[in-house]
Amino acid sequence: MSDTLEKQGTVEKTKEMAGQLAVVNEILERNGNDPSRLIPILQQAQEAFKYLSKEVISYVATSLGLPVTRVYGVATFYAYFSLEPKGKHIIRICDGTACHVKKSHGLLDRLNERLGLNSDKLTTDDMMFTLEQVCCLGACGLAPVMVVDEVVHGRSTPDHVDEVINKILEDEKNAAAQ
Amino acid sequence: MSDKKTLTVNGKTVEFDNERNLLEVIRNAGINLPTFCYHSELSIYGACRLCLVQVTTGDRPPVVMAACSTAPAPGMVIQTETKEIRNMRKIAVELLLANHTVDCPTCARSNSCSLQKIAEQLGVTKVRFSKRTQIDPIDTSSPSLDRDPNKCILCGDCVRVCREVQGIGAIDFAYRGSKAKVVPAFGGDLGKVECVNCGQCAAVCPTGAIVPKQDGYKVLDALYDKSKTVVVQVAPAVRVALGEYFGAKPGENVAGKLVAALKLMGFKHVYDTTFTADMTIFEEATELIERISKGGTMPMFTSCCPGWIKYVETYYPEFLPNVSSCRSPQAMFGSVAAETLPQQLGVDYKDMFVVSIMPCTAKKFEAQLPKFRRDGRPEVDVVVTTSEIAQMIDSYGIDFNNLEPMAFDMPLGLSTGGGVIFGASGGVMEAALRYAVEKLTGEPLASVDFKEVRGMAPRKEATLNVAGMELRIAVVHGLANAKALLEDLKAGRVKYDFIEVMACPGGCISGGGQPHGVTNKLRVIRQQGLYAADKANQLQKSQENYMVDLCYKEHIGGGPGSHKAHEILHTAYQDRSQVADAKLFLHKGDAAAKFPVTVTVCTKDAEAPAALLGMLAEHIKGRDYAGRCDLAAAYTAADQAAGTVCVTVGDSFLGRTNFSGAGDAAGFKTITDAIDQWFAQN
């Protein structure tokens, strides 16, 4: 336990978090420290950190003079906000009516199996992939639709899913080798 | 007559004026529509859908609407009861019951539950939906309140009372749809957030989802233990509300019967918190006069209400020097009992057991604070609420209504009217004025009534001319009103000398531990009960309490303001402003019981506090308490006074200490000395 009690490490960790929250300061200022702009503030914070940590939620709340529960309530209400860190690659499977009828579940099952995920566990342990099911991506003509890192893959199949994953893994491997 | 607005309710013509919704109009017409989520003093929510009515306007077809969120309009034709509406109400209740842990006989709200009552009223005899299977854990982390999410019907009453009436928002809705729930921040423990323990959430909760912590069994254990001498104090507000449980008229003073009942239960001596309320006046008015004459920190705030104290500690620590250092009457009783009773009753202190009967859930929190402990145990061993003691009296089979009244035991049972009115908003102020005005002018008061501080107005103000001096006073109740006053003070919009704050609307008479179903009307009736008790007392000024005088002479250094009085009747406050801050734990101890050392870090200038945390890490490493110690940074955007840092240890505030940076050895030593000393004592 006492190994955490290092002088220099403590100073650095304290400052690192202060630096992260200083990013929130900028976001707050950009929004005029206006509590009625809570949602845009949270959106911008999520953009900056990929998710909303407990610290960011508390900090936004105390800075705006709002109860922490209020901000927590807003952050948990909207599916857009994530309170968990997300993986490097984000895969969204559409389960809107059209995609559902076109067997989007087949894509989801394959991905869950391939990545060892399930409905409670959305991110791989190595923080490489996050798998999300979304209600409609507005591309019903291409059903079933999968979006990987903002790239739309229409009329996808389980085998195609495998190819996409293989490609990402290979790229990651090459990048690591360099 | 012709300009009166009318509409029709169930065929009857009803006049209306400025009612804020149809529900109020219909209730005024004598139809008591069922509701869960409607409280006249809270904003309109429209969630429970029980106040549905059929509304016909002009020649449009009838529509079913929620009466609480529909504005009345002339000519509306209202039908409160149709087959369709009854079925809708029943389905709503059935769905709630399917989601509810129905353990009525063992629930603390068994006899005062709106869900139970409305289900019965509507004739819901079976629930056609399958039960929810997921059971969430019960939150027992708070010393004042227990939260059972499985009994929550999502009416939001607690959320709105906490935010709107108390200005806090310690609980709120999280998630959505079928996953929605009411939780403290991050779904965590109520005992660890900004909650001030006032219990107004429990007072408005229609079910048993938030209830005052039930501590009655501890009292029973002490009563059964023959080696214990169990003594009890009864707060002023209890006597005008307890009777409601036994069907007495609201506001009736049942103190005498309560004393008799407690004696039957086996309490050895029954004392009156009003005695130490009088003593509070001696101390607090003396403190006020001293602050005025010696140029102390002004204005001065009262300190009787532990909900208010935790509020100011959390949100406005800069005002802590303005708060009277007097303990609350409950805590004063604890120390006076410990000082005087063992000798007087001929018992060992360790065999004495002190119980409090309070209208208040925050008093449960106060009693367990480390600063109110003596010889390793709390000076007040257990606090039970009015509702709890009512239930306990009932459990003994005592026929309360037919008891012959008895008097409180002496000497800690003698009281004046000044002490009794502590239970109503404005009462502490009035009692203090009765004392202070007489002291300042040196002449007996012609009239003891200061009616300008009574009643339910959100802020009561007056300027008195006392001995050629202007004394500006203010009284607020409900913490949102206190917040508005503090903001006005900060902005220089108002100037006062003496301010009374009570956390609960109307004062202690509507505390979180009082019998349920409080309305503003009932608040006024309970207040009137206390003012009647004041009038009926031969002694109306606290300074006339000769037993308090005697107690000072024999035990407390001769008089108010003495050294001994400061030792046992006063207290110090702590800065809790870090509670909601974003925290980073830099070190976690490995012992079972740990205390955090927390340093506030301003994100705009982290240099000095970061250096301090580094130095503290090194310092703690070599200490024997390293395992019992967490080290944390609390981040804030608020600017910190230059060259100072805010450090807390456990529940104690080391103060805003001078520390300018890594080279400040002297500042660092002051801080580490305080921390070392704290851990040596805890």
Side-chain angles (χ1 to χ4, degrees):
Chain A
M1 271 295 150
S2 57
D3 59 346
T4 59
L5 285 169
E6 277 176 30
K7 187 172 178 177
Q8 204 45 41
T10 302
V11 174
E12 276 160 22
K13 273 205 260 174
T14 308
K15 283 190 181 170
E16 190 191 327
M17 175 66 83
Q20 282 185 22
L21 295 174
V23 174
V24 181
N25 284 345
E26 280 167 37
I27 294 170
L28 289 166
E29 258 159 55
R30 217 181 302 147
N31 289 280
N33 279 297
D34 180 358
S36 70
R37 291 192 55 79
L38 176 61
I39 290 173
I41 288 168
L42 290 179
Q43 282 174 320
Q44 289 159 29
Q46 174 152 303
E47 243 165 67
F49 302 108
K50 303 279 179 226
Y51 79 111
L52 297 174
S53 66
K54 247 175 132 164
E55 292 79 23
V56 166
I57 287 175
S58 299
Y59 190 75
V60 167
T62 53
S63 302
L64 292 175
L66 291 170
V68 181
T69 15
R70 189 99 263 247
V71 180
Y72 175 72
V74 170
T76 53
F77 184 87
Y78 294 101
Y80 176 82
F81 294 122
S82 171
L83 275 68
E84 300 289 331
K86 289 192 183 178
K88 186 172 176 190
H89 302 282
I90 295 171
I91 306 169
R92 294 196 180 93
I93 299 286
C94 182
D95 197 33
T97 312
C99 292
H100 188 82
V101 170
K102 288 277 191 179
K103 299 196 174 67
S104 61
H105 260 270
L107 309 182
L108 189 72
D109 290 346
R110 178 66 65 92
L111 279 165
N112 273 333
E113 191 186 321
R114 194 54 215 275
L115 303 173
L117 300 175
N118 55 53
S119 58
D120 292 326
K121 180 174 158 59
L122 305 178
T123 301
T124 55
D125 291 335
D126 60 3
M127 298 303 288
M128 191 59 84
F129 294 100
T130 293
L131 177 56
E132 292 173 346
Q133 210 175 7
V134 295
C135 283
C136 184
L137 289 164
C140 308
L142 300 174
V145 177
M146 169 172 78
V147 177
V148 181
D149 296 336
E150 309 301 321
V151 179
V152 179
H153 299 256
R155 300 204 177 87
S156 189
T157 63
D159 288 344
H160 173 65
V161 164
D162 269 339
E163 284 168 27
V164 173
I165 298 292
N166 287 341
K167 173 84 170 59
I168 292 174
L169 288 175
E170 207 180 297
D171 290 350
E172 286 291 339
K173 211 164 133 188
N174 292 338
Q178 278 174 10
Chain B
M1 283 299 283
S2 59
D3 57 348
K4 282 269 161 64
K5 294 178 282 186
T6 62
L7 49 72
T8 314
V9 177
N10 299 344
K12 208 172 93 183
T13 303
V14 175
E15 280 181 7
F16 68 96
D17 191 18
N18 295 320
E19 284 86 348
R20 67 170 179 166
N21 52 26
L22 265 185
L23 180 65
E24 302 268 353
V25 179
I26 293 168
R27 283 190 173 166
N28 287 345
I31 306 278
N32 195 15
L33 285 179
T35 53
F36 289 125
C37 72
Y38 186 74
H39 283 270
S40 55
E41 62 263 50
L42 300 179
S43 63
I44 293 168
Y45 193 50
C48 75
R49 315 314 284 175
L50 288 191
C51 66
L52 295 176
V53 291
Q54 181 183 289
V55 181
T56 315
T57 315
D59 47 13
R60 277 180 260 165
V63 283
V64 172
M65 304 171 98
C68 71
S69 35
T70 305
M76 273 181 167
V77 178
I78 313 293
Q79 194 65 38
T80 62
E81 191 64 50
T82 66
K83 186 175 180 183
E84 185 192 15
I85 289 172
R86 176 166 288 245
N87 282 340
M88 285 173 164
R89 288 192 188 131
K90 277 175 91 165
I91 286 177
V93 171
E94 280 182 65
L95 285 166
L96 290 175
L97 286 170
N99 261 318
H100 185 86
T101 301
V102 186
D103 60 1
C104 304
T106 55
C107 177
R109 290 291 302 277
S110 188
N111 60 2
S112 60
C113 171
S114 301
L115 181 58
Q116 198 184 64
K117 192 170 141 217
I118 289 174
E120 191 194 359
Q121 275 177 348
L122 290 175
V124 177
T125 49
K126 71 169 190 240
V127 175
R128 288 166 291 173
F129 308 101
S130 55
K131 294 284 300 179
R132 198 173 74 129
T133 47
Q134 192 203 326
I135 297 293
D136 287 334
I138 297 172
D139 176 5
T140 58
S141 61
S142 159
S144 297
L145 299 154
D146 282 350
R147 222 169 44 83
D148 183 350
N150 309 296
K151 290 180 183 164
C152 178
I153 60 168
L154 301 176
C155 65
D157 293 348
C158 55
V159 172
R160 281 173 291 136
V161 81
C162 192
R163 191 197 309 155
E164 296 169 11
V165 175
Q166 302 298 52
I168 296 172
I171 43 177
D172 207 332
F173 286 100
Y175 302 97
R176 72 196 290 179
S178 63
K179 295 198 174 94
K181 45 178 136 185
V182 171
V183 288
F186 305 110
D189 292 339
L190 190 62
K192 292 183 185 148
V193 296
E194 313 95 306
C195 170
V196 302
N197 308 298
C198 70
Q200 287 302 303
C201 50
V204 296
C205 180
T207 72
I210 305 185
V211 296
K213 185 153 246 136
Q214 302 291 298
D215 291 313
Y217 72 96
K218 296 178 192 164
V219 177
L220 295 180
D221 282 351
L223 288 171
Y224 296 142
D225 183 346
K226 289 298 157 215
S227 70
K228 296 274 182 222
T229 300
V230 185
V231 302
V232 57
Q233 58 167 322
V234 180
V238 175
R239 67 204 66 194
V240 290
L242 175 74
E244 289 166 28
Y245 184 94
F246 299 100
K249 224 169 65 211
E252 187 183 325
N253 183 353
V254 296
K257 286 179 179 171
L258 175 58
V259 175
L262 295 172
K263 289 276 165 110
L264 280 176
M265 289 169 75
F267 288 95
K268 197 88 181 164
H269 299 277
V270 181
Y271 299 118
D272 198 346
T273 312
T274 309
F275 175 88
T276 39
D278 283 334
M279 192 174 260
T280 301
I281 292 302
F282 278 67
E283 283 303 318
E284 198 163 287
T286 304
E287 184 182 345
L288 177 68
I289 293 168
E290 203 173 293
R291 283 186 192 228
I292 292 173
S293 58
K294 292 193 182 156
T297 312
M298 294 293 276
M300 188 176 92
F301 288 92
T302 58
S303 57
C304 302
C305 170
W308 150 243
I309 294 297
K310 192 167 178 217
Y311 181 84
V312 70
E313 286 179 333
T314 305
Y315 293 98
Y316 292 93
E318 65 272 29
F319 278 107
L320 286 175
N322 297 73
V323 179
S324 160
S325 61
C326 288
R327 290 176 170 213
S328 75
Q330 165 176 274
M332 277 200 192
F333 184 94
S335 64
V336 170
E339 286 287 328
T340 66
L341 289 183
Q343 182 199 347
Q344 196 205 325
L345 304 177
V347 293
D348 266 353
Y349 178 61
K350 70 170 175 41
D351 294 327
M352 196 171 85
F353 194 86
V354 182
V355 176
S356 267
I357 301 173
M358 293 284 143
C360 176
T361 47
K363 288 271 166 33
K364 288 177 186 270
F365 166 80
E366 183 194 75
Q368 53 90 56
L369 287 173
K371 61 185 178 182
F372 297 132
R373 291 173 79 87
R374 181 186 290 241
D375 295 354
R377 64 173 242 246
E379 286 178 341
V380 171
D381 291 281
V382 184
V383 180
V384 289
T385 61
T386 310
S387 301
E388 285 173 273
I389 201 69
Q391 181 275 325
M392 288 163 74
I393 292 169
D394 213 14
S395 77
Y396 272 66
I398 292 170
D399 180 3
F400 188 81
N401 290 320
N402 290 316
L403 286 173
E404 204 167 305
M406 289 172 77
F408 285 104
D409 288 311
M410 292 290 251
L412 308 186
L414 185 76
S415 66
T416 72
V420 167
I421 58 174
F422 263 54
S425 160
V428 178
M429 174 62 73
E430 186 165 346
L433 290 177
R434 289 176 189 179
Y435 185 103
V437 172
E438 215 171 83
K439 291 280 165 193
L440 287 168
T441 56
E443 287 163 28
L445 266 184
S447 161
V448 296
D449 289 349
F450 291 89
K451 292 205 166 144
E452 51 274 58
V453 297
R454 299 184 184 181
M456 288 297 294
R459 189 187 301 181
K460 296 167 271 185
E461 301 168 297
T463 304
L464 306 171
N465 269 310
V466 185
M469 181 186 71
E470 270 198 351
L471 191 65
R472 291 155 300 185
I473 55 166
V475 173
V476 285
H477 51 123
L479 292 170
N481 293 331
K483 183 182 188 171
L485 181 140
L486 290 164
E487 289 299 330
D488 282 351
L489 269 179
K490 272 171 84 165
R493 288 188 287 267
V494 291
K495 271 202 152 55
Y496 301 115
D497 299 302
F498 187 31
I499 302 157
E500 177 202 296
V501 186
M502 293 291 161
C504 295
C508 314
I509 45 95
S510 73
Q514 295 280 65
H516 271 86
V518 179
T519 57
N520 263 345
K521 199 172 147 202
L522 184 58
R523 288 188 179 107
V524 172
I525 291 172
R526 287 180 184 166
Q527 286 179 343
Q528 283 164 350
L530 290 179
Y531 289 117
D534 169 30
K535 275 276 168 273
N537 202 319
Q538 290 93 334
L539 310 174
Q540 289 186 278
K541 296 179 265 190
S542 296
Q543 60 269 36
E544 292 170 339
N545 192 323
Y546 48 88
M547 282 298 177
V548 170
D549 242 350
L550 191 68
C551 186
Y552 268 116
K553 291 205 174 83
E554 288 180 352
H555 301 281
I556 319 178
S562 66
H563 177 74
K564 179 83 175 177
H566 271 279
E567 205 174 283
I568 69 165
L569 303 180
H570 288 251
T571 186
Y573 304 112
Q574 66 202 66
D575 185 320
R576 296 179 195 270
S577 62
Q578 295 166 332
V579 68
D581 284 343
K583 291 204 187 64
L584 176 67
F585 280 88
L586 297 153
H587 161 67
K588 285 247 185 199
D590 45 15
K594 288 174 299 184
F595 302 97
V597 172
T598 311
V599 177
T600 299
V601 179
C602 174
T603 50
K604 290 164 190 160
D605 185 10
E607 208 54 50
L612 174 63
L613 279 159
M615 290 158 80
L616 282 175
E618 197 178 46
H619 177 82
I620 290 165
K621 194 175 176 177
R623 308 288 136 173
D624 55 356
Y625 58 74
R628 294 197 293 131
C629 173
D630 289 344
L631 184 62
Y635 291 91
T636 176
D639 293 325
Q640 307 291 299
T644 68
V645 285
C646 173
V647 186
T648 60
V649 185
D651 250 356
S652 301
F653 175 47
L654 297 189
R656 178 159 287 289
T657 324
N658 288 322
F659 181 78
S660 55
D664 188 353
F668 182 64
K669 188 168 183 313
T670 315
I671 294 166
T672 49
D673 283 353
I675 294 174
D676 291 348
Q677 193 192 349
W678 194 91
F679 275 100
Q681 286 165 357
N682 286 275

